[in-house]
Structures are given as structure tokens and as C-alpha cells.
């Protein structure tokens, strides 16, 4: 069945460090891929998305590229800030299906 | 619009009691989803509605769980005869069914259930 696998956390970085959070997926067909972020005490928020192979989603300095050949959608940011501390979830939905599959989340801690 | 609202934010109950959660989605969103999230895990699909029709229900959802969306607006999720294993965060999300907003979920802050 469909599934998403994320790297385990927590990930602890210093401010201005480079961030990568790995995400790989298993799905039939051509899913759309998403990154959601959950700040402490808040609901999940869409960070970025990509709907087809080789698409790059970007928002707030974060980027992820839909790689069909490696079934991956890794999240990157060139210079993290303390305010980026949150839990990041990778997710997919298959075309014409209505159920999202989420990874288990990766907690990011950014120290000043 | 103030986004997706969930009530209550936290519910503590004794095993065997019934609990009900309410979700008010974004008004123009015709799809509404319920998810469950346990500590250290991602959201797990429970059920979803398009307007007032419940179109899919997870096989993981026991008969003690029931959800309704009577007028295609707000939704309720009821858990009967709660068990300690039901302790989790219950998340509601909504989306449009078509267009560029389709498949973009807006989540509420969640309702945390603690069963003693």
C-alpha cells in the first residue's frame, strides 16, 4: 500500500546551518507530494507541494524536488533560523484518491 | 474566515464514557477529514466527507467510532465506550474538492483526548 518514510529525529542544528530532511515514498501511480509543518501548540500547515515528477515546491526558503526515479521528496533549506523549530511531515496523495498518507514526522530543533 | 475550529481542545474522560468532538471547517470547503495522531507519529486517516456524504472510513476505525456531517457544514466525531488506547490527538482538516485548492488540507489545532 501507499506509505511515506521520513528520517527519524530529532534533528538539532545551529542557526544558519543547512537543513536536509529525507523523505521517500511508496505509491501506485503518480502521487502528489507535500511537506506540512507543525509548530508547537498549532495545527499542521502546508509548507510546500509538488504535483508531478521534477516539480520543485518552495516556500519560506524551503525547497523540495519530486524525484520519481528515486521516489523521494527531500526537504532542504540553506540557512535555518530558530523560528524554523517545528515538526515536519512528508505526505502524499494519489491522483483521484482522497486519502493522505503522512510520514511519522521529523522534529527540528534550531539553536541560536 | 478564522480557519478550521475544533472543540474541545482537550478532553479528559474515564474509560467507558462517551465523548464527542466538533469540527467547524472553512465555510467554502466541501471536503472534511478526520485524522488521529498519537505521540511521535504522523496523522492517521479515519474518515472523510464530501458535503454531507461520508465517502470513506478507515478499516482501523472500530464500531465505537461514528462521524457525522449532517448539513455539510460542521462535523462531529463520537467515540463510545472509550478505551485507554483511544487516547490521542484527533485532527480535523478541510479542503476544496476541485481547483487549485483541491488536495490542500487546512488543519485545525486538534482535540486531545486522554482516557483514564
Amino acid at each position: 500500500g501507499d506509505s511515506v518514510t521520513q528520517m527519524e529525529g530529532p534533528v538539532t542544528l545551529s542557526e544558519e546551518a543547512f537543513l536536509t530532511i529525507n523523505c521517500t515514498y511508496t505509491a501506485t501511480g503518480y502521487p502528489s507530494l507535500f511537506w506540512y509543518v507543525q509548530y508547537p501548540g498549532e495545527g499542521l500547515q502546508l509548507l510546500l507541494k509538488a504535483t508531478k515528477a521534477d516539480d520543485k515546491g518552495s516556500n519560506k526558503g524551503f525547497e523540495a524536488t519530486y524525484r520519481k526515479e528515486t521516489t523521494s521528496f527531500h526537504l532542504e533549506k540553506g540557512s535555518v533560523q530558530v523560528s524554523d523549530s517545528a515538526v515536519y511531515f512528508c505526505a502524499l496523495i494519489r491522483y483521484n484518491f482522497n486519502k493522505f498518507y503522512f510520514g511519522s514526522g521529523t522534529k527540528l530543533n534550531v539553536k541560536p | 474566515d478564522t480557519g478550521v475550529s475544533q472543540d474541545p481542545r482537550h478532553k479528559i474522560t474515564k474509560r467507558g464514557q462517551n465523548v464527542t468532538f466538533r469540527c467547524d471547517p472553512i465555510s467554502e470547503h466541501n471536503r472534511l477529514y478526520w485524522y488521529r495522531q498519537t505521540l511521535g507519529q504522523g496523522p492517521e486517516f479515519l474518515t472523510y466527507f464530501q458535503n454531507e456524504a461520508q465517502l470513506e472510513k478507515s478499516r482501523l476505525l472500530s464500531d465505537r467510532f461514528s462521524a457525522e456531517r449532517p448539513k455539510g457544514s460542521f462535523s462531529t466525531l463520537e467515540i463510545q465506550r472509550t478505551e485507554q488506547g483511544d487516547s490521542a490527538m484527533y485532527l480535523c482538516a478541510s479542503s476544496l474538492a476541485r481547483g487549485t485548492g483541491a488536495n490542500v488540507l487546512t488543519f485545525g489545532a486538534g482535540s486531545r483526548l486522554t482516557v483514564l
Side-chain angles (χ1 to χ4, degrees):
Chain A
D2 297 350
S3 66
V4 176
T5 302
Q6 289 181 236
M7 63 186 288
E8 289 192 17
V11 174
T12 301
L13 297 173
S14 297
E15 208 165 22
E16 299 184 2
F18 184 85
L19 168 71
T20 300
I21 300 178
N22 290 337
C23 170
T24 57
Y25 67 89
T26 301
T28 305
Y30 304 98
S32 294
L33 302 174
F34 304 80
W35 278 100
Y36 278 82
V37 58
Q38 187 173 31
Y39 299 102
E42 298 184 15
L44 280 78
Q45 303 172 25
L46 177 67
L47 181 59
L48 53 84
K49 67 174 184 174
T51 57
K52 61 183 186 296
D54 299 325
D55 266 2
K56 178 185 283 188
S58 61
N59 187 23
K60 300 182 181 179
F62 290 90
E63 292 183 340
T65 302
Y66 188 161
R67 302 285 189 200
K68 190 171 186 302
E69 63 276 14
T70 54
T71 62
S72 65
F73 193 55
H74 304 322
L75 183 68
E76 296 183 336
K77 186 174 186 183
S79 176
V80 292
Q81 306 299 313
V82 172
S83 57
D84 294 326
S85 298
V87 181
Y88 293 81
F89 293 92
C90 187
L92 70 82
I93 187 169
R94 266 198 276 158
Y95 178 72
N96 269 350
F97 284 71
N98 299 299
K99 188 190 304 183
F100 280 75
Y101 292 88
F102 286 84
S104 57
T106 303
K107 185 172 184 180
L108 171 65
N109 295 317
V110 181
K111 296 184 174 180
Chain B
D1 201 330
T2 55
V4 178
S5 299
Q6 292 189 244
D7 183 71
R9 292 292 304 275
H10 195 179
K11 177 73 175 179
I12 301 172
T13 191
K14 293 182 179 179
R15 188 178 52 172
Q17 298 296 304
N18 298 344
V19 297
T20 299
F21 301 114
R22 176 181 169 122
C23 172
D24 287 272
I26 291 175
S27 55
E28 61 265 30
H29 285 183
N30 40 13
R31 283 192 182 162
L32 186 148
Y33 297 78
W34 284 99
Y35 280 81
R36 177 171 60 192
Q37 186 179 18
T38 53
L39 197 62
Q41 298 299 314
E44 177 185 46
F45 173 80
L46 294 179
T47 188
Y48 100 97
F49 294 83
Q50 181 149 321
N51 301 314
E52 66 275 10
Q54 187 174 18
L55 297 186
E56 188 170 350
K57 191 174 172 181
S58 169
R59 283 172 287 178
L60 301 174
L61 214 58
S62 79
D63 291 343
R64 296 184 297 105
F65 287 71
S66 62
E68 294 182 343
R69 194 182 182 198
K71 297 181 180 179
S73 56
F74 74 92
S75 175
T76 57
L77 176 69
E78 182 183 18
I79 309 173
Q80 296 182 324
R81 304 180 303 281
T82 52
E83 302 173 356
Q84 288 183 325
D86 298 331
S87 296
M89 178 76 85
Y90 290 86
L91 302 174
C92 178
S94 67
S95 77
L96 294 168
R98 291 185 179 84
T100 55
N103 296 336
V104 175
L105 297 180
T106 300
F107 280 86
S111 292
R112 181 171 296 283
L113 174 64
T114 302
V115 181
L116 302 176

